[in-house]
Amino acid sequence: MKTLQSTLLLFLFVPLIKPAPPSQQDSRIIYDYGTDNLEETFFSQDYEDKYLDGKSTKEKETMIIVPDEKSFQLQKDENITPLPPKKENDANLRRLDFTGNLIEDIEDGTFSKLSLLEELTLAENQLLKLPVLPPKLTLFNAKYNKIKSRGIKANTFKKLHNLSFLYLDHNALESVPLNLPESLRVIHLQFNNITSITDDTFCKANDTSYIRDRIEEIRLEGNPVILGKHPNSFICLKRLPIGSYI
């Protein structure tokens, strides 16, 4: 009972006792860096004013901050510039050669991500048609296949503005492919089933002044077509195609 009364009296008189004003030294921030857990100890008047208003009966409070591994990792990551994501179509292939396989069909989207491809060889396979080709090709070789004219779309070569060498010999073409680009230097179409050509095959029928000066060689030998029957088909060329004229 005495103990309880003493305790009650203590609580009654405690509010009447004013704590001594903080010294100037108490208002400073004291940093105590430990060697292992990097402890920071703060004694400040601001802390006392905030927490000694009935929420705490302690005159001074010690706050220990121990930075964890995540904090250090976060600070480290903030200083690192992230690498840009790699695009799926950033393929660096320049040359592909599938010579001498048994490939019968290639889907149109097969080469869609090879935007930098310059040379593509599909020779000596079993192809009946051509897929959509990469736009920057300079050489395309599909000789010794079974490709027919209906297996080549009208715009297959139209937008290949860098194409210089085209090899489609030893196939089953009935006609020269349409819309051959101006960039072509060599065209090999020998030993197909080409039966005729027109004034627009290599030249422009409505423009007699047109000259196709980049072409160095056109081979049409081994085809049924008689080139001598189509003299106006070559007036824009500097060199006559190789083939039968009689």
Side-chain angles (χ1 to χ4, degrees):
M1 184 64 179
K2 292 181 179 180
T3 304
L4 179 60
Q5 290 178 348
S6 300
T7 304
L8 291 175
L9 291 174
L10 179 63
F11 277 103
L12 290 173
F13 284 100
V14 165
L16 299 178
I17 302 174
K18 294 184 179 179
S23 63
Q24 185 176 0
Q25 182 178 4
D26 292 334
S27 63
R28 292 180 299 173
I29 300 176
I30 302 175
Y31 297 90
D32 183 15
Y33 294 94
T35 56
D36 295 329
N37 37 8
L38 192 61
E39 297 181 357
E40 295 180 4
T41 306
F42 297 86
F43 298 101
S44 68
Q45 180 63 39
D46 292 338
Y47 180 82
E48 292 175 0
D49 292 341
K50 184 175 181 181
Y51 291 98
L52 297 184
D53 58 352
K55 297 179 181 179
S56 176
T57 59
K58 297 181 180 179
E59 291 184 358
K60 294 183 180 181
E61 185 73 14
T62 301
M63 180 183 293
I64 302 175
I65 301 176
V66 182
D68 54 14
E69 294 182 0
K70 292 184 179 179
S71 299
F72 284 122
Q73 185 64 36
L74 178 60
Q75 294 177 0
K76 182 178 180 181
D77 292 344
E78 288 176 351
N79 296 327
I80 299 175
T81 302
L83 295 174
K86 185 177 180 181
K87 297 181 179 179
E88 291 183 358
N89 60 348
D90 284 344
N92 295 324
L93 286 175
R94 304 282 181 169
R95 179 184 300 173
L96 277 179
D97 191 342
F98 293 103
T99 300
N101 289 280
L102 298 174
I103 301 172
E104 296 181 353
D105 184 62
I106 300 176
E107 296 182 2
D108 280 343
T110 301
F111 306 114
S112 61
K113 295 181 180 180
L114 302 179
S115 58
L116 300 179
L117 194 66
E118 296 179 355
E119 298 183 11
L120 177 59
T121 300
L122 303 173
E124 300 176 24
N125 283 284
Q126 304 294 320
L127 292 174
L128 298 175
K129 62 179 182 178
L130 296 182
V132 175
L133 301 175
K136 293 186 178 181
L137 284 184
T138 60
L139 181 150
F140 179 63
N141 185 350
K143 63 182 181 181
Y144 287 98
N145 276 278
K146 299 179 179 180
I147 303 169
K148 295 186 176 182
S149 292
R150 65 173 178 268
I152 301 179
K153 298 177 182 178
N155 60 349
T156 296
F157 301 108
K158 186 176 183 179
K159 296 182 179 181
L160 302 185
H161 303 301
N162 297 325
L163 189 64
S164 295
F165 304 93
L166 177 60
Y167 303 104
L168 290 173
D169 52 281
H170 296 85
N171 276 282
L173 299 175
E174 297 91 1
S175 61
V176 177
L178 300 174
N179 298 313
L180 296 177
E182 296 285 335
S183 57
L184 279 171
R185 295 170 52 192
V186 175
I187 305 174
H188 283 191
L189 297 169
Q190 68 270 27
F191 297 99
N192 278 279
N193 293 324
I194 299 173
T195 57
S196 65
I197 55 177
T198 69
D199 294 350
D200 291 312
T201 300
F202 302 110
C203 303
K204 296 181 180 180
N206 298 326
D207 187 0
T208 56
S209 63
Y210 170 71
I211 301 296
R212 195 162 189 164
D213 55 359
R214 292 189 180 182
I215 290 185
E216 300 172 1
E217 181 181 78
I218 298 177
R219 294 186 59 178
L220 287 167
E221 75 271 22
N223 286 283
V225 62
I226 304 299
L227 300 180
K229 294 182 178 181
H230 308 278
N232 294 331
S233 299
F234 316 119
I235 59 175
C236 68
L237 303 177
K238 292 184 176 181
R239 296 179 179 84
L240 289 175
I242 300 172
S244 176
Y245 285 85
I246 55 174

